[in-house]
Amino acid sequence: MIFSWILNKVPRPWLIKISYCVRPFISLYFRGNKYEDPIDGKKFRKFLPYGYAVQRPNVLSPSTLSLERHRLLWLYLTRETNFFQREMKVLHVAPEQAFYKRFKKQPLWQYITTDLYSPLADVKADLCNLPFDDNSFDLILCNHVLEHIPDDQKAMCELFRVMKYGGTGIFQIPQDYNRDITFEDDTITDPDERTRIFGQYDHVRIYGMDYFDKLRKIGFQVEEVHYAKQFSAEEIEKYRIVKEEIIPVCRKPQQEK
């Protein structure tokens, strides 16, 4: 209950700053051998709960503060791509703490972060009006951002515009896999009501399975990667990832000659 209150009442930039102070102590307290955070390889007897509307037990890593989606994405990036072995210009929208320092240290990357409010952002910018040239980035990471933006179509168009031809984007979102059509209602403005209906006080929609087609209509080639299904039940539990989660890997087609 206390975690839910903190998440709903304390501004996110403050949470980021506070977490840097308390994380080492939490990590030490929860160390053990039952669960593993693949991002830093540390093991714990349990993870922390997390959630705005409903607390999910045992999901927040004490060391990197990663959640299920972060750990799944890290496993995908490190095991299934060669991104860390390539020279790339990378845009990270709303940079997550779990990745920030690791991505910044990548010797082959020109790594740029952007957000309106995050203290981790190099460039303060609105995702619907990015201050970057067309065809600028080889890789764009924009995870759990679009559900916050009223005009998500415009944001998707901006992501498409600044991505290089042949570039790649990973745009994870909270998604209801039992819902065919995305639900949104811009008349719902009360934070408590948004938390109840959308799952978080600053969310404006619940994405359904039509999310991938929304991206395709913008022009992206979208691969729906069911990566977690490659892991055994024991690994799913060890890493605390969600078996049903789909990673949307989006590519901007090569320019026609």
Side-chain angles (χ1 to χ4, degrees):
M1 184 64 70
I2 184 64
F3 286 105
S4 179
W5 184 90
I6 291 172
L7 289 171
N8 281 287
K9 300 301 182 183
V10 180
R12 190 170 289 109
W14 291 12
L15 288 174
I16 293 173
K17 293 177 180 178
I18 293 169
S19 68
Y20 277 106
C21 299
V22 303
R23 188 168 50 184
F25 302 101
I26 297 174
S27 181
L28 183 63
Y29 178 77
F30 284 102
R31 66 182 179 181
N33 292 300
K34 188 171 184 181
Y35 303 105
E36 181 179 335
D37 185 338
I39 297 174
D40 62 3
K42 291 183 179 180
K43 297 181 180 180
F44 303 96
R45 57 185 173 86
K46 66 181 294 185
F47 286 167
L48 294 163
Y50 188 87
Y52 287 78
V54 178
Q55 290 275 293
R56 305 190 305 280
N58 203 27
V59 296
L60 180 67
S61 167
S63 57
T64 67
L65 300 183
S66 65
L67 294 166
E68 307 98 315
R69 66 179 185 268
H70 302 122
R71 294 188 288 275
L72 180 65
L73 179 58
W74 181 261
L75 289 164
Y76 175 77
L77 291 174
T78 54
R79 297 184 182 186
E80 306 299 328
T81 79
N82 65 351
F83 292 157
F84 297 132
Q85 288 76 50
R86 291 168 51 191
E87 289 188 1
M88 305 184 82
K89 187 174 181 182
V90 179
L91 178 65
H92 194 175
V93 180
E96 301 101 326
Q97 290 184 76
F99 299 137
Y100 177 71
K101 288 186 177 179
R102 289 167 179 82
F103 289 170
K104 204 169 184 66
K105 291 178 180 178
Q106 292 301 318
L108 298 178
W109 281 16
Q110 182 184 348
Y111 178 64
I112 299 170
T113 59
T114 186
D115 190 79
L116 267 177
Y117 307 110
S118 173
L120 304 181
D122 301 316
V123 179
K124 294 293 192 294
D126 183 345
L127 185 55
C128 291
N129 187 25
L130 291 171
F132 306 113
D133 293 336
D134 296 357
N135 311 310
S136 292
F137 296 97
D138 301 285
L139 174 64
I140 301 177
L141 302 169
C142 178
N143 297 318
H144 282 237
V145 176
L146 292 170
E147 68 276 9
H148 296 265
I149 298 176
D151 192 348
D152 62 338
Q153 184 174 5
K154 188 173 182 180
M156 291 175 189
C157 287
E158 276 293 88
L159 291 169
F160 187 84
R161 179 184 68 80
V162 302
M163 184 183 294
K164 289 182 181 179
Y165 292 106
T168 301
I170 297 178
F171 309 143
Q172 290 171 302
I173 39 87
Q175 189 170 16
D176 183 349
Y177 300 116
N178 296 313
R179 183 186 294 271
D180 292 329
I181 305 299
T182 294
F183 171 73
E184 52 190 318
D185 183 345
D186 58 12
T187 67
I188 302 171
T189 57
D190 178 72
D192 292 336
E193 190 70 0
R194 280 186 174 180
T195 298
R196 185 181 70 83
I197 294 175
F198 299 127
Q200 194 164 310
Y201 69 91
D202 52 356
H203 286 188
V204 297
R205 67 181 58 82
I206 302 174
Y207 282 107
M209 295 302 289
D210 60 339
Y211 171 65
F212 309 109
D213 284 335
K214 288 177 180 290
L215 291 165
R216 291 184 179 106
K217 288 178 181 177
I218 300 300
F220 290 108
Q221 295 174 340
V222 182
E223 181 182 2
E224 302 170 27
V225 181
H226 297 256
Y227 187 56
K229 291 185 177 181
Q230 299 187 24
F231 293 90
S232 66
E234 291 76 18
E235 289 173 317
I236 293 283
E237 179 66 6
K238 172 184 173 182
Y239 296 130
R240 296 296 293 162
I241 55 180
V242 177
K243 185 176 182 179
E244 295 76 24
E245 180 157 4
I246 303 170
I247 300 176
V249 180
C250 306
R251 298 180 175 89
K252 185 173 180 176
Q254 292 284 357
Q255 189 175 21
E256 295 183 7
K257 296 181 179 179

